[in-house]
């Protein structure tokens, strides 16, 4: 076998493994909630004085809504800690503008290794102010960011699902600041 074929086959297996893992995660986290009950706008995480939500409730409510360029809005609906030491932040990128828009390439950040793999949300970070630590998006063994990549042009009024995976802060840290280049920052709650 040629080196080129072996490299392509390995990349294909990594992509297939990541896609299968995401499919299982999405199927396991699917909520039967009504999307019409979500708050219309929020500058940061909601401060609910009720009981603490369980792990499955994170998909039913809006954690934060961040406004970006060209009418794009990032709606975060889940920041789930898992037993493997990761936090997966997920939601949707919506185009509230009047014309089709593309997510800025600046959301990939400025790290050379991430930029090599095309457009992504690789510039996202979680900031734990209490511990004075910043958590960057994880990467696979080939340096690809574990985020949504190669996002299409989003038509006016449409949205696409997005995710980002980070190393988990200490278990006693439940509140972090989410940052993504070209978008406003917001405080979110980590569940799980």
């Amino acid at each position: 076998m040629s080196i080129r074929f072996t490299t392509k086959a390995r990349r294909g297996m990594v992509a297939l493994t990541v896609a299968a893992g995401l499919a299982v995660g999405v199927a396991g986290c699917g909520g039967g909630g009504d999307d019409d009950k979500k708050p219309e706008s929020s500058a940061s995480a909601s401060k609910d004085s009720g009981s603490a939500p369980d792990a499955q409730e994170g998909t039913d409510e809006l954690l934060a809504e961040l406004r970006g360029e060209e009418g794009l809005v990032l709606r975060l609906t889940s920041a789930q800690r898992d037993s493997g030491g990761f936090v997966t932040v997920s939601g949707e990128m919506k185009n509230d503008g009047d014309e089709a828009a593309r997510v800025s390439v600046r959301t990939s950040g400025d790290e050379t290794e991430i930029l090599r793999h095309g457009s992504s949300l690789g510039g996202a970070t979680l900031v734990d102010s209490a511990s004075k630590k910043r958590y960057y998006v994880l990467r696979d063994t080939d340096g690809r960011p574990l985020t949504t990549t190669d996002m299409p042009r989003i038509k006016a009024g449409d949205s696409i699902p997005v995710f980002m995976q980070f190393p988990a802060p200490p278990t006693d840290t439940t509140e972090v600041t989410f940052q993504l280049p070209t978008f406003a920052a917001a405080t979110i709650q980590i569940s799980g």
Side-chain angles (χ1 to χ4, degrees), residues 5-27:
F5 176 78
T6 304
T7 302
K8 284 186 177 183
R10 185 172 10 147
R11 285 184 182 160
M13 289 302 294
V14 169
L16 181 63
T17 303
V18 170
L22 290 174
V24 169
V26 168

Side-chain angles (χ1 to χ4, degrees), residues 27-94:
C29 293
D34 185 7
D35 287 341
D36 293 337
K37 294 182 180 177
K38 292 181 182 178
E40 288 301 313
S41 64
S42 170
S44 64
S46 60
K47 304 284 185 192
D48 187 8
S49 59
S51 63
D54 69 3
Q56 292 299 317
E57 288 183 80
T59 59
D60 293 334
E61 61 185 56
L62 185 64
L63 294 178
E65 187 173 86
L66 295 77
R67 299 219 171 257
E69 299 174 337
E70 297 186 39
L72 292 175
V73 177
L74 177 60
R75 301 183 76 198
L76 301 178
T77 56
S78 174
Q80 183 67 41
R81 184 188 307 266
D82 72 13
S83 60
F86 308 112
V87 169
T88 302
V89 176
S90 57
E92 68 177 8
M93 184 76 67
K94 183 173 180 166

Side-chain angles (χ1 to χ4, degrees), residues 149-173:
T149 57
D150 299 325
M151 290 162 282
R153 181 176 294 277
I154 305 171
K155 294 178 184 174
D158 284 357
S159 62
I160 59 170
V162 295
F163 82 98
M164 293 141 281
Q165 197 167 45
F166 302 90
T171 54
D172 60 338
T173 299

